[in-house]
Amino acid sequence: TMSLREHALSLFRSAVGTVRPAPMLKRALKLQGGGCPQLLVKGQAFPVKRDLYLVGFGKAVLGMAAAAEEILGDHLTGGIINVPRGIQESLRRAGMQEMLLKPHSKIQVIEGAKNNLPDAEALKGAVAIQQLAEGLTADDLLLVLISGRGGSALLPAPIPPILLEEKEKLTKLLASRGAAIQELNIVRKTLSVLKGGGLAQLAYPARVVSLILSDVIGDPLDIIASGPTAASSHSVQDCLQILTKYNLLHNLPKSVETVLSSCPSKPTAPENYSHVSNIILGSNTLALDEAKCQAQGLGYTALVLSAAIHGEVGRVATLYCQLIQLLCLGFAGLGEGPLADELRGSLLQLAAELQIPGLDLDEFLQALRGLGPKRPVCILAGGETTVQLQGSGKGGRNQELALRVGLGLHRAQATEASSPQGRCEIIFLSGGTDGQDGPTEAAGASCSPRLVAEALREGLDVEAFLRNNDSYTFFSQFQGGHHLLVTGLTGTNVMDIQAILIRAM
C-alpha cells in the first residue's frame, strides 16, 4: 500500500498535470476544418472567415502557443508571443521540447521582462502585438493567450508621450510610499495602451477570443495580467484618487499629466466588448477539482476547503493545525465536546480575520461533523500565502507553511498527553504549481508531527530554522531531503496547492 505521503505527492502531480499548457489547450481547443472552418473553444464556435492570428504574453504562454499551433495547423496565419527572458533556454535545458515552438513556426517569439520587470525588450514585444492588433479587419479572428504570471510585465506599452522609464519611476515611487499591488495595477492600467481592455479595443472589429491561465485568487478577468481583453472596472478618477492619496498628483512628469487630462472620464462600456470572449482555461479551482477526483479514486473522503487561501504564513498554518486537530477529535469519537467546540470557535474567528473570499467555514465544519473514522480524509486547498522575512535563511512560503504546520501539530500533541491526534496518521503537503518555491529547486514540502518529533530527537532546533526563514535547509538536512517536493519547471502557474491527508491508525 502507498504511504500517505506518496498519495499526497500523486494528488499534487495530478492537480498540476491538469493545468499544464498542452493538456489544458488540447481539452479546450479544437479546429473544425471543411468549407467554413470553425474554432471550437469549450463548446463555443467561432467561424474562421479570413485570417486567424495568435498573440500571447506571460510565463506559461510558450507551452500554450506550442500546443495551439499544433491544433490550428495551416489555419494559423501568424502570431507574436512575448515571454520571459531566458525561458526558451530553461525549457530546452529541462528537456521540455514539447513546450517549445517548432523550428519553422509562424509565431514570432520575443523574450523580455528580465526578473519580471518591464524593459526595452518587453516594450518591443508589446508594440509588435499592438501593431498586429491594429491591422485586423472584421473578418479576422485574434486568439489571445494570457498567462497571469508575468503577463503584466510583458505588456508595458505606455500611452504616448509617456516613456517606459517615466511609468516605471512613478510605479516605484508609489510602491515606496506603501501603495498596495491593486493600486499599482490601477495606475499602470490607466497609463497603458494594451492593459485594461486596450488590446481588445485596438483589435476591433476583429473577433477576439482570449484563453486565460489565472494566477489570481477568484479569477477576476480585469486583474489577470492587468486585463488586456476585459472591460476595466476602473476609471481615470480611480487613478487620480490613488495619486492624490500618496501625495503625487502635483509632481507628475508632464507626459503623465497630458495623458491623464485627455483620458475619458468613464471606463469603456461593457457593450463595447461584444466582439470579445474571455475564457478561463486553467485556475487553482480546476486543479483542486482534479485532485479531489483523484483522492476519491484512492478511497478518501475528499473535501475542498477553498481556492482563495491567503494571509501571513503563520496564521494560515494555525488555521490548518486547528482544522487537523478537529478532524482527529472526530476520528476519536470526540467531535462533540468542549474541546471540539473550543476549536470550532477559534477556527471561525481565525477565518473571519483572514477574510478568505467565498469561504463558508461554518458549512465546511458541518460537513466534517458527519465523517466517521471508517475512511481516510483528504482536505484540499489553494491560494497564496505571504511570508514576512525576518531571517537570512533559504526557503519559500510552501516549505515554511509545511514546517509550521508540522511543528504546530507536534506542540499540540506534546501538551495533551492523551491527545487523540496520537491515534491519527497525518501528512500535510504544500507546493507551488509552477515547480518553484523561493530561491531553491524545491516546489514545496510535506511534513507531519511525527517528522518534527524525529527531527527534535536528532537535535535539530525546528523553531530556530523557522525564525531564520530557513525551512529549505531544515528539509534538505533532515532525512536527505526526502520530504522536499521537487518537480522541476512545470510550465504552468495557478498559485499554490495544499493537501491534508488523515487516517486512523
Side-chain angles (χ1 to χ4, degrees), residues 352-375:
E353 285 167 21
L354 286 168
Q355 294 183 329
I356 295 161
L359 172 62
D360 186 344
L361 190 61
D362 231 350
E363 194 183 311
F364 187 82
L365 295 179
Q366 215 41 55
L368 289 188
R369 274 184 148 142
L371 304 179
K374 310 281 178 292
R375 288 175 68 188

Side-chain angles (χ1 to χ4, degrees), residues 362-414:
D362 231 350
E363 194 183 311
F364 187 82
L365 295 179
Q366 215 41 55
L368 289 188
R369 274 184 148 142
L371 304 179
K374 310 281 178 292
R375 288 175 68 188
V377 173
C378 167
I379 291 178
L380 296 155
E384 213 157 76
T385 57
T386 46
V387 176
Q388 299 288 324
L389 284 177
Q390 270 143 6
S392 56
K394 263 177 119 169
R397 57 179 183 262
N398 289 291
Q399 295 163 73
E400 181 154 329
L401 179 59
L403 189 52
R404 282 183 183 278
V405 169
L407 179 64
L409 291 171
H410 169 76
R411 278 191 189 141
Q413 226 163 332

Side-chain angles (χ1 to χ4, degrees), residues 210-341:
S210 283
L211 307 182
I212 302 166
L213 181 65
S214 168
D215 69 327
V216 184
I217 282 176
D219 311 330
L221 292 173
D222 67 326
I223 305 288
I224 303 163
S226 301
T229 57
S232 175
S233 49
H234 303 106
S235 67
V236 70
Q237 289 334 109
D238 298 309
C239 178
L240 293 169
Q241 259 173 348
I242 292 163
L243 294 169
T244 309
K245 176 179 169 184
Y246 295 102
N247 218 353
L248 288 169
L249 201 54
H250 299 298
N251 45 6
L252 292 172
K254 206 88 219 99
S255 59
V256 174
E257 280 183 8
T258 308
V259 166
L260 288 175
S261 62
S262 62
C263 274
S265 60
K266 286 194 172 59
T268 313
E271 54 268 25
N272 293 1
Y273 288 85
S274 57
H275 63 299
V276 184
S277 299
N278 287 306
I279 298 159
I280 298 222
L281 282 199
S283 66
N284 193 275
T285 304
L286 287 164
L288 290 174
D289 286 346
E290 176 63 22
K292 182 182 173 179
C293 286
Q294 296 290 332
Q296 287 167 335
L298 291 169
Y300 287 86
T301 300
L303 298 164
V304 173
L305 175 67
S306 164
I309 299 288
H310 66 106
E312 199 276 315
V313 70
R315 313 283 304 282
V316 175
T318 305
L319 180 85
Y320 283 137
C321 284
Q322 292 180 348
L323 198 52
I324 292 166
Q325 286 169 270
L326 194 57
L327 267 164
C328 290
L329 284 174
F331 268 109
L334 301 169
E336 303 305 324
L339 193 54
D341 289 341

Side-chain angles (χ1 to χ4, degrees), residues 116-118 152-153 155-158 162-192 195 226 239 242-243 246 248 251-253 256:
N116 205 21
L117 295 168
S152 189
L155 274 194
I162 302 174
L163 300 172
L164 185 59
E165 298 75 59
E166 293 175 317
K167 190 174 120 187
E168 283 317 290
K169 198 171 155 195
L170 180 59
T171 311
K172 282 197 181 112
L173 203 52
L174 274 166
S176 71
R177 296 195 178 184
I181 182 72
Q182 290 82 353
E183 295 177 312
L184 295 178
N185 283 339
I186 290 170
V187 173
R188 276 190 198 127
K189 272 202 296 197
T190 312
L191 304 178
S192 294
K195 294 174 184 174
S226 301
C239 178
I242 292 163
L243 294 169
Y246 295 102
L248 288 169
N251 45 6
L252 292 172
V256 174

